[in-house]
Amino acid sequence: MGGYILAIDQGTTSSRAIVFDDDMAIKGVGQQEFTQFFPASGWVEHDPEEIWQSVLTTARTAIEKAGTSAADIAAIGITNQRETVVVWDRKTGKPLHPAIVWQDRRTSGLCEELKGRALEAAFTEKTGLLLDPYFSGTKLSWLLSNVEGLRARAEVGEVCFGTVDSWLIYKLTGSKAHVTDATNASRTLIYNIGENDWDDELLGILDIPRAMLPEVKDCAADFGVADKSMFGAEIPILGVAGDQQAAVIGNACFEPGMLKSTYGTGCFALLNTGTDRVTSSNRLLTTIAYRLDGVTTYALEGSIFIAGAAVQWLRDELGFIKVASEVGALARQADPKQRLYMVPAFTGLGAPYWDAEARGAIFGLTRSSGPAEFARAALESVAFQTHDLLEAMKKDWQGHGATTVLRVDGGMVASNWTMQRLSDILAAPVDRPELLETTALGAAWLAGSRAGAWPDAKGFSAHWKRDRRFEPEMADDERKTAIAGWQDSVSRCLTRRA
């Protein structure tokens, strides 16, 4: 066994696999997009089998490109799109319904019904979450109520539920392991993050049988062994974390007060609060950042549903760009005298508004508004939404001395224009790391440290390197005017006041 680590990064629109060497350098990469299904307004689904095949293909590709073999890989780390729900037959391993994606809003009615029964406080107290279609619990409840025979089979243990990590581990281990980690469990709306266990009261409210739930482990633990048939040799699976928590780890945000924001399909900002479980007064989420050696570290999280997806919209629906990387250069060409605001509420608004029924809009259009102005408005919407999250975090974390520097990662951060505008709107420094694959790196560190092939948290933190720091350049008056215009635009899209 060598010191290589295979990181599987299963995202919302594509699957990636990366082989890292024992110096934490990338040696091989595989990536493959997969199909997005939109069967009804506000519904988003994936094919679990297509996800699985994409992971298997990209992992094999990464190993081949690294010029190594499975025998040289010490461990596998997995990170995944969170909250997406998969149900499958325990014996055959066959999916029993398309995966319901975290973006899906079909359970907004159920969430409103539960709120009407004054149940949101109970869910928030135990899970740190709000009653929103975003989370897994109401999606699973919907499946049990709408797929014929599913509930009866689930009650007798014939059906497995899992987030995507559980599904992949089940397939990798040849149906031997039905497990998850604490971070993914903490996003289901049925896991008590204080007691670190599935919550029977919440399971009862949503009518979910405990028999279908996976075993919950630490983020660095023995999750099972990938079968020899997968890669040519058995490889232990030793690290698992939801993608945003993996990014916290990959950015080495191990100390309370450290802050990271990931810019992928959506945007997710997490503030490490240590062993203090901080309850938000500003509609942020309290979640598990990671659990190591039985010790739980918590975080405040703000979730934005649409970030990079707005760029995809410019590309795929409007045809303004051919590839996503063109958007920064196009935004730079925008007329500075025009002020367009895009509120990208394509699937509702996340934190701190939590309005599932809000829909997108563009304000400030003139006859001369064109692709460049749309591009700038799309990228600025990400900066404005991040500003909303960080302002809420500051209020919740008052007196604790949170860092004023934001560590960033994800595909969008490669754009210098976007990162400069983010720094301008936040009026704070933004640090971009040398290695942008921080989500995969976080999963790799969990597995590598567990295998004894990689350093501990302190050593890993010392290894983190900054590529560039973006400092704010925008005048205060201009910033305040821009933010006021954004807030006015959002208010016009809300179906109710948050």
Side-chain angles (χ1 to χ4, degrees):
M1 180 182 294
Y4 288 90
I5 303 296
L6 171 62
I8 293 171
D9 184 356
Q10 203 300 298
T12 307
T13 58
S14 68
S15 297
R16 290 170 65 77
I18 300 177
V19 172
F20 294 89
D21 66 15
D22 52 9
D23 289 324
M24 300 180 236
I26 294 175
K27 305 303 291 183
V29 180
Q31 180 167 349
Q32 183 176 311
E33 292 190 359
F34 55 89
T35 311
Q36 309 292 305
F37 298 96
F38 307 98
S41 177
W43 293 27
V44 189
E45 294 181 348
H46 292 158
D47 178 351
E49 285 289 358
E50 187 181 6
I51 287 177
W52 160 238
Q53 289 300 325
S54 71
V55 166
L56 195 58
T57 298
T58 54
R60 288 170 174 170
T61 298
I63 293 170
E64 180 182 353
K65 287 186 175 179
T68 188
S69 69
D72 294 320
I73 296 176
I76 294 173
I78 297 175
T79 183
N80 57 286
Q81 53 167 313
R82 306 173 303 171
E83 298 95 16
T84 295
V85 169
V86 185
V87 289
W88 66 92
D89 185 291
R90 190 178 295 276
K91 288 185 178 179
T92 67
K94 296 294 185 183
L96 299 173
H97 190 275
I100 301 181
V101 181
W102 59 271
Q103 298 163 313
D104 190 283
R105 314 304 286 171
R106 75 186 66 184
T107 61
S108 59
L110 174 56
C111 291
E112 291 305 313
E113 176 195 331
L114 295 170
K115 290 177 185 177
R117 292 162 55 190
L119 290 171
E120 185 167 51
F123 279 92
T124 300
E125 180 184 353
K126 294 185 174 191
T127 70
L129 310 178
L130 301 170
L131 279 173
D132 188 86
Y134 173 33
F135 305 108
S136 310
T138 58
K139 297 179 186 348
L140 180 55
S141 181
W142 185 94
L143 285 169
L144 290 165
S145 298
N146 287 275
V147 178
E148 186 176 356
L150 186 64
R151 188 185 305 282
R153 294 191 63 199
E155 288 172 348
V156 295
E158 295 180 359
V159 175
C160 292
F161 152 73
T163 41
V164 171
D165 59 305
S166 295
W167 166 242
L168 296 180
I169 294 169
Y170 197 83
K171 300 295 282 186
L172 284 167
T173 60
S175 305
K176 292 183 178 68
H178 183 208
V179 295
T180 189
D181 86 294
T183 66
N184 278 294
S186 76
R187 311 297 296 185
T188 60
L189 205 64
I190 50 176
Y191 188 75
N192 190 312
I193 63 173
E195 297 181 0
N196 273 292
D197 193 11
W198 303 113
D199 192 278
D200 288 324
E201 180 188 2
L202 302 182
L203 291 172
I205 292 171
L206 294 175
D207 202 8
I208 296 172
R210 186 183 264 265
M212 71 189 307
L213 306 180
E215 177 187 357
V216 182
K217 293 176 173 282
D218 284 356
C219 298
D222 298 327
F223 290 92
V225 177
D227 191 80
K228 182 179 179 181
S229 63
M230 303 298 163
F231 307 115
E234 291 187 341
I235 309 174
I237 304 167
L238 300 182
V240 177
D243 52 9
Q244 304 313 316
Q245 286 91 339
V248 169
I249 294 165
N251 273 306
C253 292
F254 290 117
E255 297 298 322
M258 295 188 74
L259 178 67
K260 77 89 196 174
S261 190
T262 298
Y263 297 93
T265 303
C267 165
F268 304 87
L270 274 79
L271 172 69
N272 184 328
T273 63
T275 54
D276 292 335
R277 182 180 158 192
V278 177
T279 300
S280 176
S281 300
N282 296 280
R283 297 183 68 76
L284 298 177
L285 308 176
T286 304
T287 196
I288 293 177
Y290 47 83
R291 195 175 83 197
L292 299 172
D293 298 323
V295 178
T296 302
T297 295
Y298 296 98
L300 282 171
E301 175 174 333
S303 307
I304 296 169
F305 299 147
I306 301 295
V311 177
Q312 292 174 328
W313 178 70
L314 294 177
R315 179 193 68 189
D316 299 338
E317 271 66 49
L318 300 186
F320 287 167
I321 53 176
K322 292 182 179 179
V323 294
S325 58
E326 294 175 352
V327 71
L330 183 60
R332 194 176 292 113
Q333 299 170 23
D335 180 359
K337 295 181 180 179
Q338 290 194 54
R339 171 51 64 187
L340 264 64
Y341 290 97
M342 177 188 294
V343 182
F346 301 152
T347 56
L349 286 171
Y353 304 103
W354 295 108
D355 188 339
E357 302 304 320
R359 288 297 177 262
I362 297 176
F363 298 95
L365 287 169
T366 70
R367 179 63 181 80
S368 58
S369 299
E373 287 72 35
F374 272 67
R376 183 181 65 186
L379 295 180
E380 286 185 333
S381 74
V382 177
F384 288 129
Q385 289 178 99
T386 305
H387 173 269
D388 292 345
L389 297 184
L390 300 197
E391 286 301 300
M393 284 182 176
K394 288 176 184 177
K395 293 174 184 176
D396 285 333
W397 192 242
Q398 280 182 349
H400 289 79
T403 180
T404 56
V405 178
L406 178 66
R407 289 186 174 182
V408 296
D409 63 275
M412 295 188 77
V413 308
S415 166
N416 289 342
W417 189 94
T418 306
M419 292 301 97
Q420 183 58 56
R421 188 52 55 102
L422 178 64
S423 176
D424 288 341
I425 297 300
L426 298 181
V430 172
D431 279 359
R432 182 172 65 193
E434 282 189 359
L435 180 61
L436 297 182
E437 299 287 355
T438 50
T439 303
L441 182 63
W445 177 79
L446 289 169
S449 61
R450 176 77 177 181
W454 283 23
D456 60 12
K458 185 176 181 180
F460 180 71
S461 296
H463 188 271
W464 188 91
K465 292 183 177 64
R466 183 176 66 206
D467 165 59
R468 178 173 171 181
R469 171 168 287 182
F470 296 86
E471 299 276 4
E473 298 174 352
M474 184 180 286
D476 286 343
D477 288 348
E478 182 182 356
R479 178 187 303 111
K480 290 175 181 176
T481 299
I483 292 170
W486 161 258
Q487 292 172 343
D488 177 65
S489 298
V490 170
S491 71
R492 297 168 185 264
C493 294
L494 296 175
T495 59
R496 63 180 187 278
R497 289 291 176 179

